[in-house]
Amino acid sequence: MACLLILMLIVPYVSATVDSDTIPKSNDPNAEDQPEAIASLKTHVAFVSESLDARMDGTIQYINTISNGTGAITLREIHDDYLVTASSIPLMQTAAEITEAREILNSKTREFSEETKARMIEFNGNSTAQKARIRESVNASSFARSTNDTRVLSLRNESSRLTVFNLESHDRTLTLRTLGKQGIDTTVAKNLSQQIDAQRSNLTAALTSKSSAALKITNARIKDLTHQFRETVADSRAAWELDMKRSTMMAIP
């Protein structure tokens, strides 16, 4: 039953993200790439993405609570990947580009749903409590948007990709700080994080020139480095946990 309710929360927004039937069409074969059509398509995708962003955030908060801060790591990563794609759409100029991006959003939403189901089972989550947390997140986001709160990410702006980049940089800093406090060697992870931060100039240049091609190349570089960073952090955490277990075992008389 819990799994069914999770899908009921997530799936409607998956279909909304990829269902082109919800957007008016023209018989003109070139109409889909007209500025008016592209603008309408971007607005549609941004509206759905902003809504799902709030729902993902609510789910992450809930899983983080029931797992004592240990169960939402993968959910955060999927959410981050989702936002990278969604925040890149404002620079796209063709329906084909946006359609490809929407397919990625669809895939990430499915991943998020499956990961949520697994963590709900693992930590004995309560679907009613999860639903309440999601509602709180959505309401908070809606209120912030209505009051033009600058802390709220708008996926309709061309600058949103840089905003997401800065948020991820902040999260990496917090991760490295946490690992350091645990006594974990962060040399490799810190170097990868610095390489990712070095891509800010390329990202800014792509946004300034409004080049979706340049943005795609930069996103690919960031994606590869981010994958390496996540693997390094995961390996470091696993090694640290193993050392802790060994120390505990050796301390037992």
Side-chain angles (χ1 to χ4, degrees), residues 129-230:
Q130 182 212 13
K131 193 172 183 179
R133 184 63 64 87
I134 290 174
R135 189 182 305 112
E136 290 174 4
S137 179
V138 171
N139 290 341
S141 176
S142 298
F143 175 77
R145 294 187 193 288
S146 68
T147 56
N148 297 318
D149 192 328
T150 57
R151 291 171 299 177
V152 176
L153 172 64
S154 174
L155 296 172
R156 309 181 191 200
N157 300 331
E158 291 182 349
S159 61
S160 60
R161 178 64 188 93
L162 186 58
T163 301
V164 170
F165 181 88
N166 291 334
L167 289 172
E168 291 183 336
S169 178
H170 176 70
D171 288 345
R172 287 195 306 275
T173 298
L174 293 180
T175 296
L176 292 170
R177 188 176 300 163
T178 299
L179 294 177
K181 288 180 178 179
Q182 293 174 326
I184 298 175
D185 183 4
T186 60
T187 303
V188 177
K190 186 177 294 184
N191 179 266
L192 288 167
S193 183
Q194 291 171 347
Q195 290 183 56
I196 298 172
D197 284 336
Q199 292 297 318
R200 182 180 279 102
S201 59
N202 292 332
L203 187 59
T204 301
L207 296 175
T208 301
S209 63
K210 297 185 178 181
S211 172
S212 58
L215 180 60
K216 188 173 184 178
I217 292 173
T218 302
N219 278 344
R221 291 172 180 164
I222 294 172
K223 180 179 179 180
D224 180 57
L225 289 168
T226 300
H227 177 70
Q228 294 180 51
F229 175 82
R230 290 171 178 171

Side-chain angles (χ1 to χ4, degrees), residues 65-89:
T65 298
I66 64 175
S67 67
N68 293 319
T70 64
I73 294 175
T74 300
L75 286 173
R76 287 196 185 95
E77 292 176 355
I78 297 171
H79 183 213
D80 289 346
D81 292 342
Y82 181 94
L83 289 180
V84 166
T85 298
S87 63
S88 298
I89 290 177

Side-chain angles (χ1 to χ4, degrees), residues 37-77:
I38 292 297
S40 176
L41 183 56
K42 288 180 180 179
T43 299
H44 172 80
V45 177
F47 175 80
V48 174
S49 297
E50 288 171 358
S51 177
L52 189 49
D53 171 32
R55 284 164 170 75
M56 285 182 169
D57 189 58
T59 295
I60 290 171
Q61 291 177 36
Y62 178 69
I63 297 298
N64 195 54
T65 298
I66 64 175
S67 67
N68 293 319
T70 64
I73 294 175
T74 300
L75 286 173
R76 287 196 185 95
E77 292 176 355

